[in-house]
Amino acid sequence: MKGRLAVVLAGCAALAGCAALRSLEGQEPAPWVQAGAPQPASDTESLLSYYQHLRRLPGAELGREHETARLAYTRARTDFNRVRFAMVLSQPNAAFADDGRALELLDPVAKNRDARLQGLAQLLSSNLQEQKRLNEEQKRLNASVQGLQQKLDALKSLERSMIERTR
């Protein structure tokens, strides 16, 4: 009796697994996953793969990906699409780069303790905030360097004028 029950349960489990695989077969693989590579096991893994994909895209393709992510977010404002769009917006040196907007997109996910993507959103948000802080510090240092360069140039000019007077 126990043997039959085990066989029936194993058969049910196998059928359920087949049904799950058939539902996955109909889905198109994410464009950033290489052909033949295993599909990501979670949304976080998928988004990390997506980020690697973004980093390799040339400018024109990155622009198209920006539009694709923007449209996906406009159609469905899910946490996944929100984080995906923020990743695109945070790409350095892109014409559409907008760290402020990316932070706005990540904020609700990062603050939601029940969100599956909270950890990833917090990581991205903290990296963007740190990058913003470093950029502001760099601007401040550049202004200081310019001020020091002007003072140095003034001292050189003064030195030249003093040398000319002594001749």
Side-chain angles (χ1 to χ4, degrees), residues 99-118:
D99 289 347
R101 177 75 174 123
L103 284 168
E104 287 174 13
L105 289 165
L106 292 169
D107 191 52
V109 182
K111 289 181 177 177
N112 182 357
R113 292 185 186 268
D114 297 327
R116 287 187 335 252
L117 297 171
Q118 182 195 26

PDB file of all heavy atoms in Angstrom, residues 99-118:
ATOM      1  N   ASP A  99      20.851  59.990 -12.504  1.00  0.00           N
ATOM      2  CA  ASP A  99      20.986  59.333 -11.209  1.00  0.00           C
ATOM      3  C   ASP A  99      19.882  59.755 -10.255  1.00  0.00           C
ATOM      4  O   ASP A  99      19.404  58.942  -9.453  1.00  0.00           O
ATOM      5  CB  ASP A  99      22.351  59.620 -10.595  1.00  0.00           C
ATOM      6  CG  ASP A  99      23.476  58.904 -11.317  1.00  0.00           C
ATOM      7  OD1 ASP A  99      23.202  58.007 -12.125  1.00  0.00           O
ATOM      8  OD2 ASP A  99      24.649  59.245 -11.053  1.00  0.00           O
ATOM      9  N   GLY A 100      19.452  61.004 -10.328  1.00  0.00           N
ATOM     10  CA  GLY A 100      18.373  61.477  -9.461  1.00  0.00           C
ATOM     11  C   GLY A 100      17.077  60.724  -9.713  1.00  0.00           C
ATOM     12  O   GLY A 100      16.405  60.284  -8.777  1.00  0.00           O
ATOM     13  N   ARG A 101      16.741  60.553 -10.972  1.00  0.00           N
ATOM     14  CA  ARG A 101      15.525  59.806 -11.337  1.00  0.00           C
ATOM     15  C   ARG A 101      15.675  58.338 -10.942  1.00  0.00           C
ATOM     16  O   ARG A 101      14.721  57.721 -10.459  1.00  0.00           O
ATOM     17  CB  ARG A 101      15.273  59.940 -12.843  1.00  0.00           C
ATOM     18  CG  ARG A 101      14.095  59.150 -13.356  1.00  0.00           C
ATOM     19  CD  ARG A 101      12.774  59.784 -12.978  1.00  0.00           C
ATOM     20  NE  ARG A 101      11.696  59.058 -13.626  1.00  0.00           N
ATOM     21  CZ  ARG A 101      10.682  58.499 -12.984  1.00  0.00           C
ATOM     22  NH1 ARG A 101      10.591  58.618 -11.679  1.00  0.00           N
ATOM     23  NH2 ARG A 101       9.759  57.841 -13.625  1.00  0.00           N
ATOM     24  N   ALA A 102      16.858  57.777 -11.131  1.00  0.00           N
ATOM     25  CA  ALA A 102      17.101  56.387 -10.743  1.00  0.00           C
ATOM     26  C   ALA A 102      16.889  56.220  -9.240  1.00  0.00           C
ATOM     27  O   ALA A 102      16.264  55.247  -8.798  1.00  0.00           O
ATOM     28  CB  ALA A 102      18.510  55.954 -11.147  1.00  0.00           C
ATOM     29  N   LEU A 103      17.372  57.166  -8.444  1.00  0.00           N
ATOM     30  CA  LEU A 103      17.171  57.105  -6.996  1.00  0.00           C
ATOM     31  C   LEU A 103      15.696  57.197  -6.637  1.00  0.00           C
ATOM     32  O   LEU A 103      15.226  56.496  -5.732  1.00  0.00           O
ATOM     33  CB  LEU A 103      17.960  58.216  -6.298  1.00  0.00           C
ATOM     34  CG  LEU A 103      19.455  57.977  -6.174  1.00  0.00           C
ATOM     35  CD1 LEU A 103      20.172  59.254  -5.749  1.00  0.00           C
ATOM     36  CD2 LEU A 103      19.734  56.855  -5.201  1.00  0.00           C
ATOM     37  N   GLU A 104      14.952  58.043  -7.344  1.00  0.00           N
ATOM     38  CA  GLU A 104      13.500  58.154  -7.114  1.00  0.00           C
ATOM     39  C   GLU A 104      12.803  56.826  -7.398  1.00  0.00           C
ATOM     40  O   GLU A 104      11.886  56.430  -6.666  1.00  0.00           O
ATOM     41  CB  GLU A 104      12.892  59.225  -8.011  1.00  0.00           C
ATOM     42  CG  GLU A 104      13.215  60.635  -7.631  1.00  0.00           C
ATOM     43  CD  GLU A 104      12.690  61.643  -8.643  1.00  0.00           C
ATOM     44  OE1 GLU A 104      11.863  61.278  -9.506  1.00  0.00           O
ATOM     45  OE2 GLU A 104      13.114  62.804  -8.581  1.00  0.00           O
ATOM     46  N   LEU A 105      13.229  56.150  -8.459  1.00  0.00           N
ATOM     47  CA  LEU A 105      12.628  54.869  -8.816  1.00  0.00           C
ATOM     48  C   LEU A 105      12.943  53.791  -7.776  1.00  0.00           C
ATOM     49  O   LEU A 105      12.098  52.954  -7.451  1.00  0.00           O
ATOM     50  CB  LEU A 105      13.115  54.415 -10.192  1.00  0.00           C
ATOM     51  CG  LEU A 105      12.585  55.186 -11.384  1.00  0.00           C
ATOM     52  CD1 LEU A 105      13.404  54.878 -12.626  1.00  0.00           C
ATOM     53  CD2 LEU A 105      11.119  54.859 -11.627  1.00  0.00           C
ATOM     54  N   LEU A 106      14.149  53.795  -7.267  1.00  0.00           N
ATOM     55  CA  LEU A 106      14.585  52.760  -6.324  1.00  0.00           C
ATOM     56  C   LEU A 106      14.040  52.961  -4.915  1.00  0.00           C
ATOM     57  O   LEU A 106      13.865  51.991  -4.170  1.00  0.00           O
ATOM     58  CB  LEU A 106      16.113  52.724  -6.265  1.00  0.00           C
ATOM     59  CG  LEU A 106      16.814  52.231  -7.520  1.00  0.00           C
ATOM     60  CD1 LEU A 106      18.307  52.506  -7.428  1.00  0.00           C
ATOM     61  CD2 LEU A 106      16.533  50.764  -7.754  1.00  0.00           C
ATOM     62  N   ASP A 107      13.760  54.191  -4.552  1.00  0.00           N
ATOM     63  CA  ASP A 107      13.385  54.520  -3.178  1.00  0.00           C
ATOM     64  C   ASP A 107      12.208  53.687  -2.639  1.00  0.00           C
ATOM     65  O   ASP A 107      12.332  53.103  -1.554  1.00  0.00           O
ATOM     66  CB  ASP A 107      13.099  56.015  -3.059  1.00  0.00           C
ATOM     67  CG  ASP A 107      12.980  56.454  -1.623  1.00  0.00           C
ATOM     68  OD1 ASP A 107      13.900  56.156  -0.828  1.00  0.00           O
ATOM     69  OD2 ASP A 107      11.959  57.094  -1.290  1.00  0.00           O
ATOM     70  N   PRO A 108      11.078  53.579  -3.347  1.00  0.00           N
ATOM     71  CA  PRO A 108       9.971  52.794  -2.792  1.00  0.00           C
ATOM     72  C   PRO A 108      10.312  51.312  -2.592  1.00  0.00           C
ATOM     73  O   PRO A 108       9.876  50.708  -1.622  1.00  0.00           O
ATOM     74  CB  PRO A 108       8.851  52.938  -3.829  1.00  0.00           C
ATOM     75  CG  PRO A 108       9.227  54.086  -4.677  1.00  0.00           C
ATOM     76  CD  PRO A 108      10.709  54.213  -4.608  1.00  0.00           C
ATOM     77  N   VAL A 109      11.098  50.760  -3.482  1.00  0.00           N
ATOM     78  CA  VAL A 109      11.476  49.345  -3.363  1.00  0.00           C
ATOM     79  C   VAL A 109      12.460  49.169  -2.209  1.00  0.00           C
ATOM     80  O   VAL A 109      12.341  48.233  -1.417  1.00  0.00           O
ATOM     81  CB  VAL A 109      12.086  48.814  -4.680  1.00  0.00           C
ATOM     82  CG1 VAL A 109      12.432  47.341  -4.568  1.00  0.00           C
ATOM     83  CG2 VAL A 109      11.153  49.055  -5.855  1.00  0.00           C
ATOM     84  N   ALA A 110      13.412  50.081  -2.099  1.00  0.00           N
ATOM     85  CA  ALA A 110      14.419  49.992  -1.043  1.00  0.00           C
ATOM     86  C   ALA A 110      13.800  50.141   0.347  1.00  0.00           C
ATOM     87  O   ALA A 110      14.289  49.549   1.311  1.00  0.00           O
ATOM     88  CB  ALA A 110      15.497  51.047  -1.256  1.00  0.00           C
ATOM     89  N   LYS A 111      12.723  50.903   0.446  1.00  0.00           N
ATOM     90  CA  LYS A 111      12.086  51.133   1.748  1.00  0.00           C
ATOM     91  C   LYS A 111      11.030  50.094   2.092  1.00  0.00           C
ATOM     92  O   LYS A 111      10.599  50.029   3.237  1.00  0.00           O
ATOM     93  CB  LYS A 111      11.454  52.520   1.769  1.00  0.00           C
ATOM     94  CG  LYS A 111      12.477  53.628   1.820  1.00  0.00           C
ATOM     95  CD  LYS A 111      11.823  54.976   1.870  1.00  0.00           C
ATOM     96  CE  LYS A 111      12.877  56.074   1.988  1.00  0.00           C
ATOM     97  NZ  LYS A 111      12.270  57.401   1.964  1.00  0.00           N
ATOM     98  N   ASN A 112      10.622  49.290   1.135  1.00  0.00           N
ATOM     99  CA  ASN A 112       9.575  48.294   1.356  1.00  0.00           C
ATOM    100  C   ASN A 112      10.191  47.006   1.893  1.00  0.00           C
ATOM    101  O   ASN A 112      10.816  46.252   1.152  1.00  0.00           O
ATOM    102  CB  ASN A 112       8.814  48.024   0.057  1.00  0.00           C
ATOM    103  CG  ASN A 112       7.694  47.035   0.237  1.00  0.00           C
ATOM    104  OD1 ASN A 112       7.487  46.487   1.305  1.00  0.00           O
ATOM    105  ND2 ASN A 112       6.959  46.816  -0.843  1.00  0.00           N
ATOM    106  N   ARG A 113       9.988  46.723   3.162  1.00  0.00           N
ATOM    107  CA  ARG A 113      10.583  45.546   3.798  1.00  0.00           C
ATOM    108  C   ARG A 113      10.067  44.237   3.204  1.00  0.00           C
ATOM    109  O   ARG A 113      10.720  43.208   3.319  1.00  0.00           O
ATOM    110  CB  ARG A 113      10.316  45.566   5.297  1.00  0.00           C
ATOM    111  CG  ARG A 113      11.038  46.675   6.009  1.00  0.00           C
ATOM    112  CD  ARG A 113      10.808  46.544   7.515  1.00  0.00           C
ATOM    113  NE  ARG A 113      11.372  47.669   8.220  1.00  0.00           N
ATOM    114  CZ  ARG A 113      12.605  47.690   8.721  1.00  0.00           C
ATOM    115  NH1 ARG A 113      13.373  46.655   8.571  1.00  0.00           N
ATOM    116  NH2 ARG A 113      13.042  48.746   9.351  1.00  0.00           N
ATOM    117  N   ASP A 114       8.898  44.274   2.579  1.00  0.00           N
ATOM    118  CA  ASP A 114       8.309  43.059   2.011  1.00  0.00           C
ATOM    119  C   ASP A 114       8.697  42.832   0.558  1.00  0.00           C
ATOM    120  O   ASP A 114       8.343  41.805  -0.023  1.00  0.00           O
ATOM    121  CB  ASP A 114       6.781  43.116   2.127  1.00  0.00           C
ATOM    122  CG  ASP A 114       6.321  43.153   3.576  1.00  0.00           C
ATOM    123  OD1 ASP A 114       7.009  42.545   4.428  1.00  0.00           O
ATOM    124  OD2 ASP A 114       5.286  43.793   3.864  1.00  0.00           O
ATOM    125  N   ALA A 115       9.389  43.777  -0.045  1.00  0.00           N
ATOM    126  CA  ALA A 115       9.750  43.658  -1.461  1.00  0.00           C
ATOM    127  C   ALA A 115      10.847  42.611  -1.646  1.00  0.00           C
ATOM    128  O   ALA A 115      11.840  42.597  -0.910  1.00  0.00           O
ATOM    129  CB  ALA A 115      10.217  45.010  -2.006  1.00  0.00           C
ATOM    130  N   ARG A 116      10.661  41.738  -2.624  1.00  0.00           N
ATOM    131  CA  ARG A 116      11.674  40.710  -2.916  1.00  0.00           C
ATOM    132  C   ARG A 116      12.980  41.342  -3.380  1.00  0.00           C
ATOM    133  O   ARG A 116      14.052  40.791  -3.178  1.00  0.00           O
ATOM    134  CB  ARG A 116      11.167  39.774  -4.014  1.00  0.00           C
ATOM    135  CG  ARG A 116      10.095  38.834  -3.577  1.00  0.00           C
ATOM    136  CD  ARG A 116       9.759  37.817  -4.669  1.00  0.00           C
ATOM    137  NE  ARG A 116      10.059  38.241  -6.007  1.00  0.00           N
ATOM    138  CZ  ARG A 116       9.146  38.574  -6.932  1.00  0.00           C
ATOM    139  NH1 ARG A 116       7.883  38.496  -6.668  1.00  0.00           N
ATOM    140  NH2 ARG A 116       9.519  38.951  -8.133  1.00  0.00           N
ATOM    141  N   LEU A 117      12.893  42.497  -3.999  1.00  0.00           N
ATOM    142  CA  LEU A 117      14.073  43.152  -4.557  1.00  0.00           C
ATOM    143  C   LEU A 117      14.619  44.257  -3.650  1.00  0.00           C
ATOM    144  O   LEU A 117      15.427  45.071  -4.090  1.00  0.00           O
ATOM    145  CB  LEU A 117      13.735  43.723  -5.939  1.00  0.00           C
ATOM    146  CG  LEU A 117      13.355  42.695  -6.990  1.00  0.00           C
ATOM    147  CD1 LEU A 117      12.836  43.370  -8.252  1.00  0.00           C
ATOM    148  CD2 LEU A 117      14.534  41.801  -7.312  1.00  0.00           C
ATOM    149  N   GLN A 118      14.185  44.270  -2.383  1.00  0.00           N
ATOM    150  CA  GLN A 118      14.607  45.333  -1.483  1.00  0.00           C
ATOM    151  C   GLN A 118      16.124  45.405  -1.347  1.00  0.00           C
ATOM    152  O   GLN A 118      16.717  46.477  -1.431  1.00  0.00           O
ATOM    153  CB  GLN A 118      13.978  45.171  -0.097  1.00  0.00           C
ATOM    154  CG  GLN A 118      14.383  46.309   0.837  1.00  0.00           C
ATOM    155  CD  GLN A 118      14.116  46.038   2.287  1.00  0.00           C
ATOM    156  OE1 GLN A 118      14.079  44.886   2.718  1.00  0.00           O
ATOM    157  NE2 GLN A 118      13.954  47.088   3.059  1.00  0.00           N
TER     158      GLN A 118
END
